[in-house]
């Protein structure tokens, strides 16, 4: 009986420890915006407004991208503008998102729609700073078919 109780206690401790170790920190912001179904026009900017942060520190920014089988190219060039408020500090990043390799293999996950994640920037924010992030494509083609959603995820480093 004592051996069984000890095994149960050890099992509970291991279960709790594994649960704590496997917890992923929740992002402070994670949101997707749909692209127009008729195609994402070059002048259309997708905008994200991130609420003021509660503590100062470094924050990792990631861009999420979803495309359908209708996307005609191997890569997508995006321009990402980050504006820190209230200071007005601006930072531009240009991302070349490789979506399909030279052999035609899709690098994303999914079946008919494919999901990708790309690191944008790590930015220092003061307590109370907020962000406005603007994303647009920078391709020669004016209307980009097959881009279904653009997302932003912000995590505390």
């Amino acid at each position: 009986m004592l051996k069984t109780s000890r095994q149960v206690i050890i099992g509970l401790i291991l279960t709790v420890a594994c649960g704590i170790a496997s917890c992923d920190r929740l992002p402070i912001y994670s949101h997707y915006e749909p692209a127009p179904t008729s195609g994402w026009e070059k002048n259309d900017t997708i905008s994200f407004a991130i609420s003021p942060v509660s503590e100062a520190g470094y924050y990792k920014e990631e861009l999420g991208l979803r495309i359908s089988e209708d996307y005609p190219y191997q890569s997508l060039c995006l321009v990402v503008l980050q504006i820190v408020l209230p200071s007005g500090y601006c930072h531009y990043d240009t991302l070349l998102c490789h979506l399909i390799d030279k052999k035609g293999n899709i690098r994303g996950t999914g079946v008919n729609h494919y999901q990708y994640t790309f690191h944008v920037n790590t930015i220092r924010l003061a307590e109370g700073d907020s962000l406005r992030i603007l994303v647009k494509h920078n391709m020669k083609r004016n209307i980009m078919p097959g881009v279904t959603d653009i997302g932003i995820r912000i995590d505390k480093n």
Side-chain angles (χ1 to χ4, degrees):
M1 178 75 171
L2 184 60
K3 188 175 182 180
T4 304
S5 297
R6 194 177 287 169
Q7 288 174 335
V8 169
I9 291 172
I10 290 173
L12 286 172
I13 291 171
L14 288 174
T15 302
V16 169
C18 288
I20 291 171
S22 68
C23 286
D24 190 18
R25 231 196 264 190
L26 293 175
I28 66 158
Y29 182 85
S30 181
H31 181 73
Y32 276 82
E33 284 290 329
T37 54
S38 60
W40 187 14
E41 289 189 35
K42 193 168 193 149
N43 294 331
D44 286 346
T45 301
I46 297 179
S47 178
F48 301 90
I50 293 91
S51 299
V53 296
S54 60
E55 70 180 276
Y58 288 93
Y59 291 84
K60 182 173 80 171
E61 302 170 354
E62 292 181 333
L63 182 133
L65 175 64
R66 295 178 184 145
I67 63 168
S68 70
E69 291 179 325
D70 297 331
Y71 187 74
Y73 301 110
Q74 290 181 327
S75 60
L76 175 64
C77 185
L78 299 173
V79 175
V80 181
L81 170 62
Q82 302 123 66
I83 305 165
V84 178
L85 300 169
S87 70
Y89 169 77
C90 294
H91 181 82
Y92 282 96
D93 282 297
T94 302
L95 298 178
L96 181 57
C97 306
H98 296 286
L99 308 174
I100 300 168
D101 68 18
K102 292 180 182 185
K103 295 180 180 178
N105 298 316
I106 295 169
R107 293 182 170 180
T109 58
V111 179
N112 291 326
H113 284 75
Y114 305 99
Q115 173 116 12
Y116 301 84
T117 302
F118 300 97
H119 177 76
V120 176
N121 190 22
T122 300
I123 192 165
R124 174 138 176 75
L125 298 174
E127 181 182 340
D129 281 353
S130 62
L131 275 172
R132 181 161 165 85
I133 298 177
L134 308 170
V135 181
K136 66 181 197 170
H137 78 80
N138 191 25
M139 302 290 282
K140 288 183 180 181
R141 188 171 183 167
N142 223 13
I143 297 177
M144 195 55 53
V147 176
T148 60
D149 301 281
I150 301 289
I152 294 291
R153 178 181 168 126
I154 309 284
D155 289 296
K156 177 102 169 62
N157 251 4

